[in-house]
Amino acid sequence: MIGAIDLDTGLQSGLETAVAGLLGFAAVLAMASLILRQYRSGTGARARGWRLALLLIAQPLMAALLYLALFPPLVYSEAGTLVVATAGASASDATIAGETGIALPEAVVSADSERVPDLATALRRHPGTQRLRLLGAGLEPRDRDAARGLTVEWQPTSSPRGLGGLWAPREVAAGAEFSVSGRVEAMPGALVELLDPGLQRVDRSILAADGGFRVGAIARIPGLMNFRLRLRDVRQNVAEEIELPLSVVADTPPRVLVLAGAPSPELKYLRRWALDAGIKLHTQIDVGAGLQLGDAPLSLNAPTLAGFDLVVLDERVWEGLGESQRAALLGAMRDGLGVLLRIGGPLSPRTRTQLRALGFELGAGADSVEVRLPPSSADEEATRARIGPGTIDAPRARDEAMAELPVLNRRALTLDGAGAHSLLRGKDGKAFASWRSTGRGRLGLWTLSDSFRLTLVGRDDLHGQWWSAAFGALARAQPKPVLRIDGEARQGRRVSLCGLSDGALVRTPQGQNIHLLIDPASGSERCAAFWPTEAGWHLLRQGEYSQPFAVRGRDEAPGLRASEMREATLNLMAQARAPTAAASSLANSVASAQVQRGASWPWFLGWLLVSAGVWWLERSRRGRVAQGE
């Protein structure tokens, strides 16, 4: 803080030293001159001892007073406290004596508060402020940068009743399942429902003890969609309802090579699901005697595998691979290829050894066991909405009776272990599909032999969800432009867009193109600030790539807005605290006091009086030795 008093501390310190040296030299020179004159004076012109002593003492005293007049001592005083009224502050809140009150644009102006457009303006008008005492709901994003480095005192207000936190994806792939989690304040026993764009309930969740919830749905087709989140109180009355904008994109389908040792219903329904999902498979099925069904046969080598993102094969094909083919498959997997091994029969000791070398400890099980699926958390209405109306060839009536989930079969293998990630688990908690990393790629094991039975009982949604999860987890990752939108976009509030290239722009719902200016200080992140003036879907474009994002209305979801302000203000307070006790003590002393130069006029007046006294004494005959003494 001392260094902040002057523009250049080093230059100031050097100037003070030079002036002190010059004044000290002048004082010594004056004292030497007095002594020399006393020595050379005749008997009648000499000064008495007390006169000489006064004149000698006055020289360094005048030099010291002149120095203090030029450079007054530092004065430590109590730091200024600025009382800041924010949104929700009561007009009856008063400032303490010695404090200055200001009101930000969102606050109600009290009689003793000064209206300011932002906190930075208030700090410029009141220099020396070291402490902020906040009243109300907290600081807006506009004012948080100005508050950094200051001591912030704030008593958080109680969170508003209703939705207080929400974590939802902005973008999801078509056909994939997504989840939404959040927190509800001061509503025990409440219920959260998720509605699809057709306003059909697809999921619901009863609040946990801490107010948390989690719901999910499936994004079926590409497009910009508005799901809805509905909050019901303990009496089932609608307490709050907000939109959940979601961009559903049609990802580039993975290139999949399917190798099978024999035809099977499992393979048939897998191919049917892939066709409906827009995934093009290259299939080779051995039928014995050197014959194959499906597409034209391909050689299993490195160039061939480089053209695919995922290879799906069964245990028969795996055991029949030659050494060069296996080496090519493992090499491609280390380079990013995904491999899914479907295990529908017993494994040879050789295959077990190979899988053990890849990190899977499968145990001694060799037989098939039943798999009972865990009960769904969704009720019948939500399940019907998830299943959908069926297809043109096989429509499904809304009142059609729902069949129970079938009991499936899997190989009795252990898929849990160090480094393994389960994809699917049964009611007993044991995984029947799992994967682990191998180099840059992934190897997955699938032990179900009859997942197709889900389709036969009308649960093709669950069948597709399982295979979609497996393909999505294992397929080679596709590069995408790295665009990041920091925070929730809301009308009238700044949002940061990062990962931009030159020429990036935002297209508003009214069709206006706003060119973005990249902040040079953002470095490699290449961020730009954007202030949306209207709610709705916006489009971020750079080159041939575009990414939609939604902007909430200024007054939409007030609970989320209040919660964001609360968390951001608390983080601002935490950042101002020092990590150690010693640093905390220093920070408190610096924050509680401000340092400045004292007044110079008392020292100048003292120098003037002493100088006048010396001037009079030197011209007076007092203290001189009289003639004849």
Side-chain angles (χ1 to χ4, degrees), residues 50-403:
W50 63 267
R51 175 186 173 96
L52 180 61
L54 283 179
L55 292 175
L56 289 175
I57 294 173
Q59 305 310 312
L61 181 60
M62 287 189 298
L65 290 173
L66 181 57
Y67 176 82
L68 292 174
L70 294 174
F71 304 102
L74 298 177
V75 176
Y76 293 80
S77 62
E78 188 68 19
T81 297
L82 196 63
V83 181
V84 182
T86 67
S90 173
S92 61
D93 291 330
T95 60
I96 303 174
E99 295 180 334
T100 303
I102 62 105
L104 294 174
E106 306 80 24
V108 177
V109 181
S110 60
D112 55 349
S113 293
E114 172 191 358
R115 171 70 76 181
V116 293
D118 52 44
L119 182 59
T121 300
L123 294 176
R124 287 194 297 269
R125 292 180 182 177
H126 302 279
T129 299
Q130 297 296 327
R131 182 187 294 109
L132 302 177
R133 186 160 66 87
L134 305 182
L135 305 176
L139 292 176
E140 296 278 353
R142 170 199 65 222
D143 303 312
R144 292 168 195 163
D145 287 340
R148 299 188 192 281
L150 303 178
T151 299
V152 180
E153 297 177 358
W154 180 55
Q155 184 61 41
T157 57
S158 58
S159 300
R161 181 174 180 267
L163 192 64
L166 185 65
W167 297 271
R170 289 190 176 97
E171 182 179 287
V172 65
E177 185 176 17
F178 67 93
S179 62
V180 178
S181 58
R183 184 184 68 255
V184 176
E185 303 287 353
M187 290 186 64
L191 187 72
V192 177
E193 298 177 341
L194 181 63
L195 311 180
D196 66 10
L199 300 183
Q200 295 188 34
R201 179 164 56 82
V202 292
D203 201 2
R204 68 177 178 180
S205 172
I206 299 176
L207 297 184
D210 60 352
F213 68 88
R214 185 183 184 89
V215 291
I218 298 176
R220 297 186 179 277
I221 57 176
L224 302 179
M225 303 181 181
N226 287 323
F227 285 73
R228 300 190 73 84
L229 200 66
R230 178 179 292 167
L231 177 62
R232 294 183 181 272
D233 60 20
V234 69
R235 296 182 179 180
Q236 297 302 303
N237 297 320
V238 177
E240 188 175 357
E241 187 170 319
I242 67 169
E243 285 190 348
L244 291 178
L246 187 67
S247 173
V248 183
V249 298
D251 279 350
T252 303
R255 300 161 296 176
V256 182
L257 173 62
V258 177
L259 306 175
S264 67
E266 184 79 342
L267 182 61
K268 171 185 175 181
Y269 283 92
L270 170 60
R271 296 180 65 189
R272 179 178 296 179
W273 164 79
L275 180 63
D276 293 340
I279 301 174
K280 190 173 183 180
L281 306 180
H282 187 97
T283 309
Q284 296 178 198
I285 306 173
D286 291 331
V287 293
L291 300 178
Q292 284 188 343
L293 299 178
D295 300 308
L298 298 175
S299 300
L300 201 63
N301 52 36
T304 299
L305 295 174
F308 291 95
D309 303 312
L310 177 65
V311 174
V312 181
L313 69 166
D314 58 23
E315 79 282 354
R316 295 185 183 183
V317 175
W318 180 278
E319 294 182 357
L321 293 177
E323 292 300 326
S324 61
Q325 293 176 320
R326 193 183 314 281
L329 183 63
L330 296 179
M333 188 162 37
R334 286 190 291 269
D335 290 338
L337 177 70
V339 175
L340 178 61
L341 175 58
R342 297 191 302 112
I343 304 176
L347 298 178
S348 66
R350 178 172 173 241
T351 299
R352 286 177 174 272
T353 301
Q354 293 167 348
L355 294 178
R356 187 179 300 112
L358 294 172
F360 283 101
E361 294 289 344
L362 301 179
D367 299 328
S368 293
V369 295
E370 292 184 344
V371 177
R372 297 187 179 274
L373 303 180
S376 174
S377 59
D379 59 2
E380 185 172 337
E381 180 182 352
T383 302
R384 290 183 185 278
R386 280 175 172 256
I387 294 174
T391 62
I392 298 178
D393 298 331
R396 182 179 291 109
R398 287 188 56 84
D399 57 353
E400 182 180 341
M402 295 182 57

Side-chain angles (χ1 to χ4, degrees), residues 468-594:
S468 177
F471 277 36
L474 298 177
R476 191 194 307 269
Q478 300 294 331
K480 291 183 178 180
V482 182
L483 292 178
R484 190 179 77 247
I485 302 175
D486 290 342
E488 182 185 54
R490 188 177 287 269
Q491 183 182 8
R493 295 177 63 179
R494 181 186 67 180
V495 61
S496 182
L497 310 176
C498 298
L500 304 178
S501 60
D502 294 335
L505 57 87
V506 172
R507 188 175 182 84
T508 67
Q510 299 299 325
Q512 180 184 5
N513 290 329
I514 300 177
H515 293 271
L516 300 175
L517 181 62
I518 297 176
D519 183 4
S522 62
S524 59
E525 292 190 345
R526 297 182 65 81
C527 299
F530 173 63
W531 282 265
T533 58
E534 52 187 312
W537 283 101
H538 292 62
L539 189 65
L540 173 60
R541 301 182 61 181
Q542 52 179 7
E544 298 181 356
Y545 180 78
S546 61
Q547 177 176 327
F549 65 96
V551 175
R552 290 194 183 277
R554 183 176 287 103
D555 300 323
E556 184 182 354
L560 295 181
R561 181 173 179 270
S563 178
E564 189 273 337
M565 289 176 57
R566 176 190 179 97
E567 295 297 328
T569 306
L570 289 174
N571 290 337
L572 195 64
M573 295 174 62
Q575 291 172 6
R577 296 172 186 162
T580 63
S584 177
S585 175
L586 178 61
N588 290 337
S589 64
V590 170
S592 62
Q594 58 183 2

